[in-house]
Amino acid sequence: EEFDYFHEMLVHQEISRLGRPGFIDSLGAGWLISAPAVYAFGSEEVKRTVGPQLLKGDKWSALAISEPFAGSDVAALKCTAQLTPDGKHYIVNGIKKWITEGMYADYFVTAVR
């Protein structure tokens, strides 16, 4: 019913059976590290709409953590997100770099303050 870390472990095990980690990483590393966050932290609407698109391979996602001066040190992130006055959207201010598969992604799971 719910995609959790046990299911993620199964995905990793099955992929590892192919014996080609570099090739597999090039095909899905960004998706594999970002899709679980959609299910763990996304709203019900995001889980219902974006989740199936990712699982079917119709859309791609990437995890955006790294910043120019912080690297992947999440404690040093400077990027912020503020909810708009109408409460419908977030305005994200900052810079993200070195996003695995970012150039192919349709969606980004972004680490912000």
Side-chain angles (χ1 to χ4, degrees):
E1 260 180 45
E2 292 186 24
F3 186 86
D4 60 18
Y5 292 111
F6 175 75
H7 296 98
E8 184 177 353
M9 179 200 65
L10 292 176
V11 169
H12 285 281
Q13 280 188 316
E14 291 302 309
I15 289 172
S16 70
R17 293 174 63 189
L18 295 172
R20 303 285 186 260
F23 174 71
I24 297 303
D25 281 350
S26 73
L27 294 177
W31 173 85
L32 199 57
I33 60 177
S34 59
V38 169
Y39 284 96
F41 306 110
S43 67
E44 290 304 314
E45 180 182 357
V46 168
K47 291 176 189 177
R48 188 180 71 254
T49 57
V50 174
Q53 293 175 349
L54 298 178
L55 292 175
K56 290 190 282 183
D58 295 336
K59 299 283 184 177
W60 287 89
S61 61
L63 184 63
I65 293 178
S66 298
E67 296 182 357
F69 301 104
S72 58
D73 178 6
V74 293
L77 293 178
K78 295 180 181 177
C79 193
T80 62
Q82 292 183 321
L83 192 60
T84 57
D86 63 7
K88 293 182 180 180
H89 306 282
Y90 281 93
I91 297 173
V92 177
N93 290 299
I95 301 169
K96 297 293 181 183
K97 292 183 96 171
W98 310 295
I99 301 169
T100 302
E101 295 184 11
M103 62 188 295
Y104 306 111
D106 298 291
Y107 301 108
F108 293 87
V109 175
T110 307
V112 296
R113 291 193 175 276

mmCIF file with all atom_site columns, all heavy atoms in Angstrom, residues 79-90:
data_model
loop_
_atom_site.group_PDB
_atom_site.id
_atom_site.type_symbol
_atom_site.label_atom_id
_atom_site.label_alt_id
_atom_site.label_comp_id
_atom_site.label_asym_id
_atom_site.label_entity_id
_atom_site.label_seq_id
_atom_site.pdbx_PDB_ins_code
_atom_site.Cartn_x
_atom_site.Cartn_y
_atom_site.Cartn_z
_atom_site.occupancy
_atom_site.B_iso_or_equiv
_atom_site.pdbx_formal_charge
_atom_site.auth_seq_id
_atom_site.auth_comp_id
_atom_site.auth_asym_id
_atom_site.auth_atom_id
_atom_site.pdbx_PDB_model_num
ATOM 1  N N   . CYS A 1 79 ? 19.490 28.260 0.632  1.00 0.00 ? 79 CYS A N   1
ATOM 2  C CA  . CYS A 1 79 ? 18.280 28.361 -0.189 1.00 0.00 ? 79 CYS A CA  1
ATOM 3  C C   . CYS A 1 79 ? 17.048 28.360 0.728  1.00 0.00 ? 79 CYS A C   1
ATOM 4  O O   . CYS A 1 79 ? 16.953 27.554 1.646  1.00 0.00 ? 79 CYS A O   1
ATOM 5  C CB  . CYS A 1 79 ? 18.240 27.177 -1.156 1.00 0.00 ? 79 CYS A CB  1
ATOM 6  S SG  . CYS A 1 79 ? 17.025 27.343 -2.454 1.00 0.00 ? 79 CYS A SG  1
ATOM 7  N N   . THR A 1 80 ? 16.133 29.278 0.474  1.00 0.00 ? 80 THR A N   1
ATOM 8  C CA  . THR A 1 80 ? 14.932 29.388 1.316  1.00 0.00 ? 80 THR A CA  1
ATOM 9  C C   . THR A 1 80 ? 13.670 29.209 0.485  1.00 0.00 ? 80 THR A C   1
ATOM 10 O O   . THR A 1 80 ? 13.681 29.365 -0.733 1.00 0.00 ? 80 THR A O   1
ATOM 11 C CB  . THR A 1 80 ? 14.867 30.767 2.009  1.00 0.00 ? 80 THR A CB  1
ATOM 12 O OG1 . THR A 1 80 ? 14.784 31.785 1.003  1.00 0.00 ? 80 THR A OG1 1
ATOM 13 C CG2 . THR A 1 80 ? 16.071 30.996 2.900  1.00 0.00 ? 80 THR A CG2 1
ATOM 14 N N   . ALA A 1 81 ? 12.592 28.900 1.178  1.00 0.00 ? 81 ALA A N   1
ATOM 15 C CA  . ALA A 1 81 ? 11.272 28.812 0.549  1.00 0.00 ? 81 ALA A CA  1
ATOM 16 C C   . ALA A 1 81 ? 10.277 29.540 1.445  1.00 0.00 ? 81 ALA A C   1
ATOM 17 O O   . ALA A 1 81 ? 10.235 29.297 2.649  1.00 0.00 ? 81 ALA A O   1
ATOM 18 C CB  . ALA A 1 81 ? 10.856 27.366 0.362  1.00 0.00 ? 81 ALA A CB  1
ATOM 19 N N   . GLN A 1 82 ? 9.501  30.434 0.844  1.00 0.00 ? 82 GLN A N   1
ATOM 20 C CA  . GLN A 1 82 ? 8.485  31.168 1.593  1.00 0.00 ? 82 GLN A CA  1
ATOM 21 C C   . GLN A 1 82 ? 7.130  30.951 0.943  1.00 0.00 ? 82 GLN A C   1
ATOM 22 O O   . GLN A 1 82 ? 7.000  31.038 -0.289 1.00 0.00 ? 82 GLN A O   1
ATOM 23 C CB  . GLN A 1 82 ? 8.810  32.657 1.614  1.00 0.00 ? 82 GLN A CB  1
ATOM 24 C CG  . GLN A 1 82 ? 10.050 32.982 2.424  1.00 0.00 ? 82 GLN A CG  1
ATOM 25 C CD  . GLN A 1 82 ? 10.290 34.480 2.474  1.00 0.00 ? 82 GLN A CD  1
ATOM 26 O OE1 . GLN A 1 82 ? 10.083 35.182 1.489  1.00 0.00 ? 82 GLN A OE1 1
ATOM 27 N NE2 . GLN A 1 82 ? 10.721 34.958 3.624  1.00 0.00 ? 82 GLN A NE2 1
ATOM 28 N N   . LEU A 1 83 ? 6.149  30.681 1.763  1.00 0.00 ? 83 LEU A N   1
ATOM 29 C CA  . LEU A 1 83 ? 4.786  30.491 1.286  1.00 0.00 ? 83 LEU A CA  1
ATOM 30 C C   . LEU A 1 83 ? 4.213  31.830 0.831  1.00 0.00 ? 83 LEU A C   1
ATOM 31 O O   . LEU A 1 83 ? 4.384  32.850 1.505  1.00 0.00 ? 83 LEU A O   1
ATOM 32 C CB  . LEU A 1 83 ? 3.932  29.898 2.406  1.00 0.00 ? 83 LEU A CB  1
ATOM 33 C CG  . LEU A 1 83 ? 2.563  29.361 2.047  1.00 0.00 ? 83 LEU A CG  1
ATOM 34 C CD1 . LEU A 1 83 ? 2.672  28.236 1.023  1.00 0.00 ? 83 LEU A CD1 1
ATOM 35 C CD2 . LEU A 1 83 ? 1.862  28.850 3.291  1.00 0.00 ? 83 LEU A CD2 1
ATOM 36 N N   . THR A 1 84 ? 3.558  31.832 -0.320 1.00 0.00 ? 84 THR A N   1
ATOM 37 C CA  . THR A 1 84 ? 2.951  33.064 -0.816 1.00 0.00 ? 84 THR A CA  1
ATOM 38 C C   . THR A 1 84 ? 1.776  33.455 0.082  1.00 0.00 ? 84 THR A C   1
ATOM 39 O O   . THR A 1 84 ? 1.225  32.606 0.785  1.00 0.00 ? 84 THR A O   1
ATOM 40 C CB  . THR A 1 84 ? 2.455  32.896 -2.269 1.00 0.00 ? 84 THR A CB  1
ATOM 41 O OG1 . THR A 1 84 ? 1.530  31.812 -2.321 1.00 0.00 ? 84 THR A OG1 1
ATOM 42 C CG2 . THR A 1 84 ? 3.614  32.650 -3.221 1.00 0.00 ? 84 THR A CG2 1
ATOM 43 N N   . PRO A 1 85 ? 1.404  34.733 0.076  1.00 0.00 ? 85 PRO A N   1
ATOM 44 C CA  . PRO A 1 85 ? 0.305  35.180 0.934  1.00 0.00 ? 85 PRO A CA  1
ATOM 45 C C   . PRO A 1 85 ? -1.002 34.402 0.728  1.00 0.00 ? 85 PRO A C   1
ATOM 46 O O   . PRO A 1 85 ? -1.761 34.206 1.668  1.00 0.00 ? 85 PRO A O   1
ATOM 47 C CB  . PRO A 1 85 ? 0.133  36.658 0.555  1.00 0.00 ? 85 PRO A CB  1
ATOM 48 C CG  . PRO A 1 85 ? 1.486  37.081 0.092  1.00 0.00 ? 85 PRO A CG  1
ATOM 49 C CD  . PRO A 1 85 ? 2.037  35.872 -0.611 1.00 0.00 ? 85 PRO A CD  1
ATOM 50 N N   . ASP A 1 86 ? -1.248 33.936 -0.494 1.00 0.00 ? 86 ASP A N   1
ATOM 51 C CA  . ASP A 1 86 ? -2.483 33.188 -0.726 1.00 0.00 ? 86 ASP A CA  1
ATOM 52 C C   . ASP A 1 86 ? -2.369 31.724 -0.283 1.00 0.00 ? 86 ASP A C   1
ATOM 53 O O   . ASP A 1 86 ? -3.340 30.981 -0.321 1.00 0.00 ? 86 ASP A O   1
ATOM 54 C CB  . ASP A 1 86 ? -2.918 33.260 -2.193 1.00 0.00 ? 86 ASP A CB  1
ATOM 55 C CG  . ASP A 1 86 ? -1.925 32.625 -3.151 1.00 0.00 ? 86 ASP A CG  1
ATOM 56 O OD1 . ASP A 1 86 ? -0.937 32.001 -2.701 1.00 0.00 ? 86 ASP A OD1 1
ATOM 57 O OD2 . ASP A 1 86 ? -2.135 32.756 -4.368 1.00 0.00 ? 86 ASP A OD2 1
ATOM 58 N N   . GLY A 1 87 ? -1.166 31.301 0.132  1.00 0.00 ? 87 GLY A N   1
ATOM 59 C CA  . GLY A 1 87 ? -0.962 29.957 0.645  1.00 0.00 ? 87 GLY A CA  1
ATOM 60 C C   . GLY A 1 87 ? -0.969 28.859 -0.398 1.00 0.00 ? 87 GLY A C   1
ATOM 61 O O   . GLY A 1 87 ? -1.015 27.679 -0.065 1.00 0.00 ? 87 GLY A O   1
ATOM 62 N N   . LYS A 1 88 ? -0.869 29.222 -1.674 1.00 0.00 ? 88 LYS A N   1
ATOM 63 C CA  . LYS A 1 88 ? -0.960 28.230 -2.747 1.00 0.00 ? 88 LYS A CA  1
ATOM 64 C C   . LYS A 1 88 ? 0.397  27.785 -3.293 1.00 0.00 ? 88 LYS A C   1
ATOM 65 O O   . LYS A 1 88 ? 0.502  26.719 -3.870 1.00 0.00 ? 88 LYS A O   1
ATOM 66 C CB  . LYS A 1 88 ? -1.797 28.775 -3.902 1.00 0.00 ? 88 LYS A CB  1
ATOM 67 C CG  . LYS A 1 88 ? -3.244 28.975 -3.560 1.00 0.00 ? 88 LYS A CG  1
ATOM 68 C CD  . LYS A 1 88 ? -4.028 29.473 -4.760 1.00 0.00 ? 88 LYS A CD  1
ATOM 69 C CE  . LYS A 1 88 ? -5.477 29.677 -4.417 1.00 0.00 ? 88 LYS A CE  1
ATOM 70 N NZ  . LYS A 1 88 ? -6.246 30.167 -5.570 1.00 0.00 ? 88 LYS A NZ  1
ATOM 71 N N   . HIS A 1 89 ? 1.413  28.615 -3.132 1.00 0.00 ? 89 HIS A N   1
ATOM 72 C CA  . HIS A 1 89 ? 2.705  28.329 -3.747 1.00 0.00 ? 89 HIS A CA  1
ATOM 73 C C   . HIS A 1 89 ? 3.843  28.700 -2.803 1.00 0.00 ? 89 HIS A C   1
ATOM 74 O O   . HIS A 1 89 ? 3.648  29.450 -1.850 1.00 0.00 ? 89 HIS A O   1
ATOM 75 C CB  . HIS A 1 89 ? 2.872  29.119 -5.056 1.00 0.00 ? 89 HIS A CB  1
ATOM 76 C CG  . HIS A 1 89 ? 1.770  28.926 -6.023 1.00 0.00 ? 89 HIS A CG  1
ATOM 77 N ND1 . HIS A 1 89 ? 1.657  27.821 -6.816 1.00 0.00 ? 89 HIS A ND1 1
ATOM 78 C CD2 . HIS A 1 89 ? 0.691  29.698 -6.320 1.00 0.00 ? 89 HIS A CD2 1
ATOM 79 C CE1 . HIS A 1 89 ? 0.585  27.911 -7.558 1.00 0.00 ? 89 HIS A CE1 1
ATOM 80 N NE2 . HIS A 1 89 ? -0.026 29.043 -7.280 1.00 0.00 ? 89 HIS A NE2 1
ATOM 81 N N   . TYR A 1 90 ? 5.017  28.188 -3.131 1.00 0.00 ? 90 TYR A N   1
ATOM 82 C CA  . TYR A 1 90 ? 6.232  28.585 -2.427 1.00 0.00 ? 90 TYR A CA  1
ATOM 83 C C   . TYR A 1 90 ? 7.125  29.340 -3.390 1.00 0.00 ? 90 TYR A C   1
ATOM 84 O O   . TYR A 1 90 ? 7.237  28.981 -4.558 1.00 0.00 ? 90 TYR A O   1
ATOM 85 C CB  . TYR A 1 90 ? 7.003  27.368 -1.908 1.00 0.00 ? 90 TYR A CB  1
ATOM 86 C CG  . TYR A 1 90 ? 6.420  26.794 -0.647 1.00 0.00 ? 90 TYR A CG  1
ATOM 87 C CD1 . TYR A 1 90 ? 5.495  25.765 -0.701 1.00 0.00 ? 90 TYR A CD1 1
ATOM 88 C CD2 . TYR A 1 90 ? 6.801  27.277 0.603  1.00 0.00 ? 90 TYR A CD2 1
ATOM 89 C CE1 . TYR A 1 90 ? 4.959  25.235 0.457  1.00 0.00 ? 90 TYR A CE1 1
ATOM 90 C CE2 . TYR A 1 90 ? 6.273  26.757 1.762  1.00 0.00 ? 90 TYR A CE2 1
ATOM 91 C CZ  . TYR A 1 90 ? 5.353  25.731 1.680  1.00 0.00 ? 90 TYR A CZ  1
ATOM 92 O OH  . TYR A 1 90 ? 4.819  25.214 2.824  1.00 0.00 ? 90 TYR A OH  1
#
